[in-house]
Amino acid sequence: MNYFKHPSAEVNEKAIIKNNTKIWNNSQVRENVLIGENCIIGTNVYIDFDVVIGNNVKVQNGVNVYHGVEIEDDVFVGPSVTFTNDMYPRAFNNDWEVFKTLVKRGASIGANSTVVCGIIIGEFAMIGAGSVVTENVNPYELVVGNPAERIGYVCKCGNKLNKNLECEVCNRKYEISKEEKVIEVNK
């Protein structure tokens, strides 16, 4: 075993956990989960079966990641975030459909946010704490609220871009593409 598992954590023998990942107190990782290298899975985290989590991901305490969710590399998932996977939940419905959710590389999801299933959160997007995400979030967008709405854009480094789509902290510059998405221009 090339990863750390707290004695109180439950990791299914069919889960694949890569090198240098840490799984903390009272967390549960179900069957057929794939968790990449150098991840931190906080206390009281539930990771449902077949979930895929990339490398260098931080999943903070109290997060619920349900079947149908894929999280790419370098993503931050704040404390008490919940992902859903059923658009029409009923306790008595035995014929329900999983709606997939994808969180792309470098995105950050603030504490106590809810991510409604069936959406894509773009590269390096940032979700403000307490938001309810009901629609796709484009790369580099900063969204907040219930329902979450764009209030600006963020840099790859995490700081808010100014009105000229420039980061005043790391000096990266961005522009709006023909597809009306923010892209970095000085990589």
Side-chain angles (χ1 to χ4, degrees):
M1 188 166 84
N2 294 324
Y3 67 93
F4 170 81
K5 178 181 89 64
H6 188 274
S8 65
E10 179 184 328
V11 177
N12 187 281
E13 63 186 24
K14 293 180 181 174
I16 298 171
I17 315 296
K18 301 249 178 132
N19 293 339
N20 301 317
T21 286
K22 294 176 177 65
I23 302 172
W24 289 100
N25 314 42
N26 302 315
S27 290
Q28 181 181 14
V29 178
R30 301 251 335 252
E31 62 274 11
N32 303 318
V33 166
L34 172 59
I35 300 176
E37 296 180 344
N38 303 312
C39 293
I40 297 172
I41 308 299
T43 299
N44 296 318
V45 171
Y46 176 74
I47 301 176
D48 205 358
F49 68 96
D50 292 338
V51 165
V52 175
I53 296 176
N55 300 314
N56 306 308
V57 173
K58 293 182 180 177
V59 178
Q60 300 294 343
N61 300 342
V63 171
N64 296 299
V65 186
Y66 291 107
H67 174 61
V69 174
E70 180 178 348
I71 299 173
E72 293 185 348
D73 296 346
D74 304 313
V75 169
F76 175 85
V77 182
S80 301
V81 167
T82 295
F83 292 88
T84 69
N85 67 357
D86 186 355
M87 291 293 260
Y88 312 103
R90 292 282 192 224
F92 54 83
N93 186 356
N94 293 323
D95 190 28
W96 62 279
E97 178 184 353
V98 171
F99 287 80
K100 297 191 179 291
T101 299
L102 176 60
V103 182
K104 306 254 320 164
R105 182 173 66 95
S108 294
I109 303 171
N112 294 304
S113 293
T114 299
V115 179
V116 176
C117 56
I119 66 167
I120 297 171
I121 297 175
E123 293 90 348
F124 304 104
M126 187 169 290
I127 313 300
S131 296
V132 178
V133 185
T134 60
E135 296 179 348
N136 290 346
V137 178
N138 288 323
Y140 301 99
E141 281 188 336
L142 171 60
V143 300
V144 299
N146 180 5
E149 294 181 355
R150 184 180 69 222
I151 62 165
Y153 297 97
V154 292
C155 181
K156 189 180 284 186
C157 74
N159 289 284
K160 192 171 180 183
L161 299 177
N162 65 23
K163 64 181 177 153
N164 297 318
L165 299 178
E166 297 171 346
C167 179
E168 296 174 0
V169 176
C170 73
N171 299 315
R172 284 186 178 98
K173 295 180 176 150
Y174 298 83
E175 64 184 25
I176 306 286
S177 72
K178 289 183 244 177
E179 296 82 24
E180 297 186 20
K181 294 183 180 176
V182 170
I183 56 171
E184 187 176 353
V185 293
N186 59 330
K187 292 184 182 182

